[in-house]
Amino acid sequence: MRTPMMAGNWKMNCDLDEAAALAQGVVEGVGSVEGVAVVLAPPFTALDRVASVIAGSNVRLSAQNVYWQAKGAYTGEISVGMLKSCGCAYVIVGHSERRGRFGVPEPDMTDELIRVFGDTDAAVNTKARAALAGGLTPIICVGETLAEREAGLTDAIVRDQVVAALEGMTPEQIGAVVLAYEPVWAIGTGETCEADEANRVIGVIRAAIDSVAGAGAAQDITVLYGGSVKPKSVRELVSQPEIDGGLVGGASLEADSFNELVAVTREVRG
Ligand code: 13P
């Protein structure tokens, strides 16, 4: 049995008061929902405040990134222990907005424009392992760019990213991760991947998990879809057998729309 999940990735949005108000709206709407894991991922600066707002509810806290070292001279970075001390249970790693080449993007780099922080597959793996070792659940993101899809590389890219992300983990650790299929071309574009295609690619992800952790390992692992999940598209997505929920950007920035995503997921999958 897999736990369905609806996770709101607020990205670089919300000052403290906005974050508290948004979290309050989620708690009031779906804070006592059972059968669906409801997760909020505010920016680092709002974690502590959101933790206070969701205390006592069923809503859980995630960070959007982490560094693998415990402490030291790593200016600008945040450790697993720091996230735990803010009340985090989850951390997103390998989001496409953090992968890819490092540097200031050129205006014509449409795919690269949102892949500017330089996280390699090895970095994603190291972050995910550090999260697990420290008691956080990593939500590991994978997905192809538009150019990769058009070149017919979707399955190979996604498979390679999954295998690299899980490298060196024990089967028990792999059993504890959450994965998210986020096709880069569907993020923030309003263009949702067709539900049956997202379902198919998540099948590829499950096959990749099984290839690393043994046949049947993937059947207990929560795998989300992310990329323009909206109230109008969520029902078809979460009705697919392989899709256990969503990792949501834009539609998580309004409590009403996020709560609707949770409610539909609860109705279909809970
Ligand atoms: P959107 O829902 O805004 O497309 O963002 C998806 C995403 O990147 C979630 O991590």
Side-chain angles (χ1 to χ4, degrees):
M1 270 299 284
R2 305 195 288 263
T3 309
M5 178 182 291
M6 194 52 63
N9 175 10
W10 296 358
K11 307 191 179 182
M12 196 174 75
N13 293 290
C14 296
D15 65 20
L16 282 178
D17 288 343
E18 291 165 342
L22 179 50
Q24 185 65 39
V26 172
V27 168
E28 283 167 11
V30 296
S32 52
V33 159
E34 291 176 1
V36 177
V38 179
V39 178
L40 299 180
F44 288 134
T45 46
L47 286 172
D48 182 47
R49 182 77 171 268
V50 170
S52 307
V53 175
I54 65 177
S57 79
N58 287 347
V59 180
R60 295 290 172 263
L61 192 63
S62 176
Q64 299 175 17
N65 187 27
V66 69
Y67 195 57
W68 53 81
Q69 296 286 358
K71 61 177 172 175
Y74 307 102
T75 302
E77 296 298 323
I78 304 282
S79 71
V80 172
M82 292 169 182
L83 298 181
K84 294 264 295 181
S85 77
C86 286
C88 286
Y90 297 87
V91 60
I92 299 169
V93 297
H95 193 283
S96 67
E97 288 154 19
R98 300 215 60 89
R99 288 178 182 260
R101 51 176 282 154
F102 183 82
V104 179
E106 300 290 333
D108 61 349
M109 289 181 183
T110 42
D111 272 347
E112 300 296 336
L113 210 56
I114 56 168
R115 293 158 72 88
V116 291
F117 295 106
D119 275 8
T120 60
D121 280 338
V124 172
N125 172 254
T126 309
K127 290 180 177 191
R129 286 165 60 182
L132 286 164
L136 288 178
T137 298
I139 301 173
I140 302 170
C141 303
V142 299
E144 81 288 357
T145 66
L146 184 59
E148 288 162 349
R149 172 163 283 266
E150 287 175 344
L153 296 173
T154 298
D155 293 11
I157 293 284
V158 165
R159 192 181 309 118
D160 288 353
Q161 287 178 344
V162 171
V163 170
L166 303 181
E167 194 180 311
M169 291 184 192
T170 65
E172 290 69 30
Q173 287 178 316
I174 292 173
V177 306
V178 172
L179 277 125
Y181 171 52
E182 294 212 321
V184 176
W185 49 272
I187 295 175
T189 59
E191 194 168 333
T192 314
C193 183
E194 292 293 332
D196 55 353
E197 172 62 5
N199 187 65
R200 187 193 70 76
V201 178
I202 291 177
V204 172
I205 289 172
R206 293 196 192 280
I209 295 168
D210 282 357
S211 77
V212 175
Q219 73 189 13
D220 295 328
I221 294 180
T222 297
V223 186
L224 310 175
Y225 167 78
S228 299
V229 176
K230 306 289 179 197
K232 66 175 167 15
S233 60
V234 67
R235 183 176 298 274
E236 196 185 356
L237 287 162
V238 298
S239 297
Q240 299 288 326
E242 305 289 6
I243 303 178
D244 299 322
L247 181 56
V248 187
S252 73
L253 294 174
E254 298 277 348
D256 285 352
S257 61
F258 183 71
N259 293 347
E260 192 176 339
L261 301 179
V262 174
V264 172
T265 305
R266 171 84 181 80
E267 187 191 320
V268 176
R269 297 295 289 267

